[in-house]
Amino acid sequence: MFRSRSKEAQSPATEPVEDLTPQRDPQAPKGRPTPKRREAQAQRRSISKPPADRKEAAKRAREARRADMARQRQALATGDERYLPLRDRGQPRRFARDFIDSKWHVAEFFLPIAVLILILSIVPSVQAKNISLVLWMGVIAMIVVDSVLTARRLKKALRERFPDENLRGVTMYAIMRTLQMRRMRLPKPQIARGESPRR
């Protein structure tokens, strides 16, 4: 009897303990991910999964290329070294770009002068044709002289600032930049004319 009563006395005490255990309400937001988080997790899982077929793989490759090109265009405008094309990366090349952009060069006016020479050459006048020929030869001579002097000064500055760096091709890279008008240069100039080049 005592045994049965003790069991009966204990049973109602244990039942409320089971009822007091926290139950998750399926409609309650607490403890459950929000729809935005669920969507983000599903998106991450879909990205981490390998592509299901060749069409999906091609789509992902196109999206990756598009993102890379967008970062590269931004880098060409801002000079961000992380996403620049390989030919533009490195401290020596950045210094060479600044060295060129900080000065005036004859070669950057080659395109408008060439248009003027073309106009003079089609004018039905012997004097105009002679002027265009002299102007053409004079511009070419000035470009050559300016390029030689610029290359010598740039090589000296590069050797002083980057004695342990591989400087192969940097001088030609800079000279080719002088042939472009300032507003058309890529990467965009990050320095004003007259400023000292950054290291």
Side-chain angles (χ1 to χ4, degrees):
M1 292 176 66
F2 293 107
R3 192 175 299 172
S4 61
R5 285 181 182 175
S6 62
K7 288 181 180 180
E8 291 174 1
Q10 290 176 0
S11 58
T14 56
E15 287 176 1
V17 175
E18 295 176 0
D19 294 336
L20 289 174
T21 55
Q23 298 289 333
R24 284 191 177 182
D25 186 358
Q27 296 180 357
K30 189 174 182 181
R32 289 174 170 266
T34 61
K36 290 183 179 180
R37 183 186 297 174
R38 194 159 51 238
E39 291 172 5
Q41 290 174 350
Q43 186 178 5
R44 282 197 297 269
R45 282 195 297 270
S46 65
I47 292 174
S48 61
K49 288 181 181 177
D53 51 15
R54 294 178 63 184
K55 186 176 180 181
E56 180 67 21
K59 180 181 177 182
R60 291 191 189 182
R62 283 196 303 271
E63 291 174 354
R65 282 196 302 271
R66 194 176 297 117
D68 290 341
M69 291 300 294
R71 285 195 294 266
Q72 191 175 102
R73 283 194 299 270
Q74 184 68 19
L76 288 172
T78 61
D80 190 348
E81 287 281 337
R82 296 173 298 173
Y83 304 114
L84 284 176
L86 287 175
R87 67 182 179 85
D88 298 311
R89 292 182 190 173
Q91 296 297 320
R93 289 179 183 253
R94 189 181 80 169
F95 176 83
R97 290 195 300 271
D98 290 346
F99 187 90
I100 296 301
D101 297 335
S102 65
K103 297 177 178 61
W104 294 91
H105 300 278
V106 179
E108 62 185 287
F109 301 104
F110 173 76
L111 187 59
I113 293 174
V115 173
L116 177 61
I117 292 172
L118 179 63
I119 293 172
L120 289 174
S121 64
I122 61 177
V123 173
S125 169
V126 177
Q127 186 177 3
K129 292 182 184 299
N130 291 335
I131 292 173
S132 67
L133 180 60
V134 172
L135 186 60
W136 177 259
M137 295 179 66
V139 168
I140 295 297
M142 287 189 293
I143 289 176
V144 170
V145 172
D146 183 60
S147 298
V148 170
L149 295 177
T150 300
R152 290 180 61 182
R153 291 196 300 266
L154 178 58
K155 283 181 179 179
K156 182 180 178 181
L158 286 169
R159 283 194 296 265
E160 290 175 356
R161 286 167 174 79
F162 307 100
D164 300 325
E165 294 279 349
N166 181 12
L167 303 176
R168 183 177 181 182
V170 178
T171 303
M172 184 56 64
Y173 169 81
I175 296 301
M176 294 303 294
R177 189 172 177 85
T178 64
L179 296 174
Q180 302 169 341
M181 298 177 68
R182 182 181 173 89
R183 68 180 62 183
M184 299 176 64
R185 293 172 183 170
L186 291 175
K188 296 286 186 184
Q190 304 296 316
I191 189 172
R193 295 191 196 272
E195 289 186 27
S196 299
R198 302 166 297 170
R199 176 165 180 174

